[in-house]
Every structure is written in structure tokens, then in C-alpha cells.
Amino acid sequence: TYLDYTQLNRHTLIAGGTGCGKTVSGMAIVEELLKKSGYSVIVFDPVGQWTGFVRKNEDRRMRALYKKFGLRGTKEFHANIVEITAKTMNADILYYMKRSGLTVFKLDKLTPKELDEFIELSLDRIYRAKFSETGSLRYLIVLDEVHRLLPKYGGKQAHIKLEQAVREFRKWGIG
């Protein structure tokens, strides 16, 4: 499939059943965007899957498939991995947004309540920063396992901030 990366500020939802490749699809989109220069990609990773970007693929079975798909060699991406714990919940997302490249907020040590609070705080900081308006993509925010923000999974307020983000972040070039 073809996805015009310049349109990612229009927002993208990857939906599907368990194990169908939602995270891998998201990683492929992020990987292609990182090959372009100047973008800031922030990933909220509640299960710790996104840290694989910092290592080359050494899986022989998977690498054997590269030729079939016209791929050559492996590549690692430099990523800033920020492990968030109950003690570091006040990490400044705006600092990381100002840096181009990939930042992964590894959130697997947080309780559902803490996860909700961290994402709500982060989205609120972005909203209040009042970036200059643009029609062009500047930043990409990835929320993996977003269903965890829903009240039935322990979420409280972050889903409300997420709704606000989906409605308003586009004008600042945030997808």
C-alpha cells in the first residue's frame, strides 16, 4: 500500500485484531518517516515493543525473506529511549519534540492509572505549548495500545485529551 507521509498530520488509525500486525504496521510508517530528515517522532510504548528500533535485525529466518521483498541489509535507527516510572512521570515531552528523530517513552513500568496520567499530562503540555500553525507535518505522535486509555481498561482522563489532540493538533503540524 502507499501512504503519503506528508498527510500524516491528518491522523492515522491502525485497527485490527490481536496479532494482526498493527504495531508492525506503525513501525513501518515510522521507519519510512525517519528516513526523511527533520521530523520528530514520539512514541508512547506501554509494552516495550518499540525499543527494537535501536538494534539491527539479526533474526536469520526473517532476514532470509528480505530478498523476496527486495530488501537489502538491515538498519538500526538511533532512538532516544526514555523509561518512565512513577518517579519520572514529569518528563517534558516538549523537550523531546524539539529534537528530530525518534523518542520512545517506554511506559511498561507504569500502572494503568499512571499510564493514563502520563499521557494526559503529555498531551496537555503539547496543547498548551501553542506551536505555530502550519499545514505541513512536523511531528508524529504514536500511541500504541491506545485502548488502554479507555475507562474499561483503567483509563480516566487521557482519552479526553486524546480526543482534543485528534481535533486540534493537526493545525500545528502534529500527526
Side-chain angles (χ1 to χ4, degrees):
T1 186
Y2 174 78
L3 178 64
D4 181 355
Y5 74 94
T6 66
Q7 298 299 305
L8 287 173
N9 63 328
R10 303 286 189 245
H11 310 304
T12 303
L13 171 68
I14 301 171
T18 302
C20 73
K22 297 177 299 292
T23 297
V24 172
S25 295
M27 288 177 175
I29 292 168
V30 167
E31 183 177 328
E32 292 302 316
L33 186 61
L34 290 172
K35 290 177 184 178
K36 320 280 186 233
S37 64
Y39 293 99
S40 174
V41 179
I42 304 290
V43 175
F44 292 100
D45 181 11
V47 293
Q49 290 182 303
W50 286 78
T51 58
F53 268 95
V54 299
R55 296 183 308 274
K56 284 186 177 181
N57 181 4
E58 300 297 338
D59 184 320
R60 288 183 182 173
R61 286 187 1 220
M62 187 178 286
R63 289 181 62 185
L65 297 171
Y66 278 26
K67 187 175 182 181
K68 178 180 177 181
F69 294 100
L71 300 173
R72 294 181 297 256
T74 62
K75 179 175 174 60
E76 60 194 23
F77 290 90
H78 299 284
N80 189 16
I81 308 295
V82 181
E83 184 145 358
I84 302 297
T85 65
K87 294 179 181 177
T88 60
M89 296 260 300
N90 210 17
D92 185 4
I93 191 167
L94 299 177
Y95 168 79
Y96 296 102
M97 287 182 73
K98 292 175 186 170
R99 303 171 59 167
S100 64
L102 176 63
T103 299
V104 176
F105 286 109
K106 191 169 178 267
L107 308 172
D108 59 333
K109 302 285 191 275
L110 299 179
T111 66
K113 181 181 180 207
E114 292 166 339
L115 174 71
D116 188 78
E117 287 174 11
F118 179 74
I119 292 175
E120 178 191 11
L121 177 63
S122 297
L123 294 176
D124 189 57
R125 281 185 172 153
I126 295 167
Y127 181 77
R128 292 182 188 284
K130 305 261 185 204
F131 290 97
S132 61
E133 292 191 20
T134 181
S136 301
L137 179 69
R138 282 193 231 158
Y139 315 97
L140 183 66
I141 298 174
V142 177
L143 288 110
D144 202 1
E145 302 283 328
V146 73
H147 67 277
R148 293 171 185 244
L149 303 181
L150 298 173
K152 77 181 208 175
Y153 295 102
K156 299 284 185 223
Q157 297 294 317
H159 68 283
I160 295 167
K161 284 292 175 192
L162 178 58
E163 180 183 350
Q164 181 182 43
V166 170
R167 282 190 272 115
E168 301 195 39
F169 282 13
R170 177 185 55 161
K171 66 186 171 194
W172 298 313
I174 304 171

